[in-house]
Amino acid sequence: MSNTMLDVILHIDEETTHEEREDLRDVFLGKRGVMTADCRDDRPHLMIVGFDPENITASVLLATAKNRGYHTELISM
């Protein structure tokens, strides 16, 4: 893993429960190259993901959310 970390914010269109957000966060954290993933109950449509761009891309993060049934948009930081 490199020393580079990028942060992106994912906007989740759907209404989700705390448990659904935690599950999606855990899926991201299980991906090679994802270093951090955070979601907060006071901002239920947003998730911040920190990742190593040498190991995973933002498009893979979006596809991961889509494969879980979510519609997401990428908001760069």
Side-chain angles (χ1 to χ4, degrees):
M1 202 174 277
S2 74
N3 292 328
T4 303
M5 183 169 104
L6 298 179
D7 288 324
V8 294
I9 299 174
L10 298 179
H11 181 273
I12 303 166
D13 294 344
E14 286 77 19
E15 296 291 330
T16 58
T17 66
H18 173 83
E19 291 77 20
E20 290 168 331
R21 290 188 298 278
E22 293 284 313
D23 182 55
L24 182 58
R25 182 201 66 190
D26 291 346
V27 169
F28 284 132
L29 289 172
K31 296 277 187 190
R32 182 172 183 263
V34 174
M35 299 175 208
T36 63
D38 184 45
C39 52
R40 296 176 39 181
D41 288 338
D42 63 333
R43 307 271 189 210
H45 290 281
L46 302 178
M47 183 172 292
I48 300 172
V49 181
F51 65 99
D52 180 350
E54 290 184 17
N55 290 296
I56 194 167
T57 64
S59 61
V60 170
L61 298 174
L62 288 171
T64 298
K66 182 179 180 180
N67 290 339
R68 304 288 295 185
Y70 298 108
H71 298 93
T72 59
E73 292 85 28
L74 186 67
I75 305 171
S76 295
M77 291 182 65

